[in-house]
Amino acid sequence: MTPAGFNPTRAMDLSSIVAAAKAPPPPPGASYVMEVDERNLEQVISLSLRFPVVLELNSPRANADALSQTLTELANAAGGAWLLGRINVDASPQVAAAFGIQAVPAVIGVVGGQLAPMWQGTKDKVEAQAYLDQLLQVAAANGVVGRAEPVSVDSEAGPDPRFAAADAALAEGNFDAAVAEFDKLLAASPNDAEAKAGRAQAALLGRVSTADPAQALQRAAAAPADVELQLAAADAEVFGGAAEQAFARLIEVIRITTGDQREQVRLRLLELFETVGGTDPAVLKARRDLMSALF
């Protein structure tokens, strides 16, 4: 996957699109779910000093297998951004009592050793993801931005088959086709975080594949009010690992534009957020700055 006309040594791997990427993709079949009881509870809570931990307190009697499956899928899709600890309250009643849990299922977040009750009862995948996004924002604001190692890896698991067509297009350098494949996935699952990020990354590669980053930055510096030149410069900055500068550039353009131009820049900025990752501190800060610029 080598974009013509751009630095080929830096574009060989999709994970290196931005230097701000926090870790390589998890291995296929990686699991970020562990069983927790009174014997390892303290150890698991101590892990929250490095990355968020989510505790699911459940029971076979609760008939909440759908929630457990949802949390497993979200934890594994997050690739170590947080760790899921599953507690069977029937087997570990002392743990439930220590947390003051009256009914299950119940979900508790832990950041920096501090408990953050999230919800009780069942939630669908979209609702659960919204709670998890809030937890990750709290963690980032407190500097808890490490990543968990997989609890286990299924050595027989292969690449996610959903992305096979998009991956093939990327490998061929056909970025438009990759974007189209990701669009198909998003049409079926609009909240698929991996597909959103993949689409944003493929679109960025398509835009920068024939660009000269130094020239893009020079032209933008000479014409600060030219929206297209500022967008191109922001692409070059994100691709080069300078996401914070790119975000600041586009937020300043939003401040001085109106109407369709402002909306164009806002949508590009949101797309670049997806490229870098929603929990990145630069993204969290830029979201706050964007709100200020808009209102």
Side-chain angles (χ1 to χ4, degrees), residues 17-18 196-197 200-201 204 238 270-277:
I17 291 176
V18 288
K196 284 182 180 179
Q201 292 166 349
L204 175 64
V238 170
L270 295 179
E271 185 175 306
L272 293 178
F273 288 169
E274 294 287 349
T275 301
V276 175

Side-chain angles (χ1 to χ4, degrees), residues 26-35 76 83 148-155 157:
S31 172
Y32 296 88
V33 184
M34 68 184 302
E35 299 298 323
N76 293 339
L83 178 73
E149 292 294 324
V151 175
S152 64
V153 177
D154 181 357
S155 60

Side-chain angles (χ1 to χ4, degrees), residues 59-255:
S59 163
R61 297 176 291 104
N63 296 318
D65 291 347
L67 175 64
S68 294
Q69 181 62 29
T70 290
L71 289 173
T72 295
E73 291 174 0
L74 291 173
N76 293 339
W82 54 278
L83 178 73
L84 176 63
R86 180 162 289 140
I87 302 170
N88 180 344
V89 299
D90 293 347
S92 301
Q94 307 95 322
V95 175
F99 286 125
I101 297 299
Q102 302 298 319
V104 293
V107 179
I108 299 172
V110 193
V111 175
Q114 301 298 308
L115 302 183
M118 297 175 70
W119 75 81
Q120 201 165 46
T122 60
K123 298 288 181 187
D124 64 27
K125 200 167 189 176
V126 173
E127 293 171 325
Q129 184 64 68
Y131 277 95
L132 292 164
D133 287 345
Q134 292 177 9
L135 183 70
L136 290 172
Q137 289 179 18
V138 170
N142 287 275
V144 181
V145 293
R147 300 191 78 87
E149 292 294 324
V151 175
S152 64
V153 177
D154 181 357
S155 60
E156 296 183 0
D160 192 327
R162 295 177 302 155
F163 304 122
D167 288 344
L170 286 168
E172 295 171 359
N174 190 342
F175 306 119
D176 288 343
V179 168
E181 292 298 333
F182 283 119
D183 281 340
K184 293 177 185 176
L185 294 171
L186 288 168
S189 301
N191 295 304
D192 188 324
E194 288 184 88
K196 284 182 180 179
R199 187 200 187 284
Q201 292 166 349
L204 175 64
L205 280 172
R207 293 194 299 270
V208 302
S209 60
T210 57
D212 180 332
Q215 184 182 72
L217 294 172
Q218 290 171 359
R219 294 178 66 188
D226 189 306
V227 168
E228 294 298 331
L229 293 182
Q230 298 306 315
L231 291 172
D235 282 344
E237 287 170 328
V238 170
F239 189 83
E244 192 169 353
Q245 292 93 313
F247 298 159
R249 174 188 298 278
L250 295 189
I251 288 169
E252 183 57 33
V253 175
I254 287 171
R255 293 184 192 279

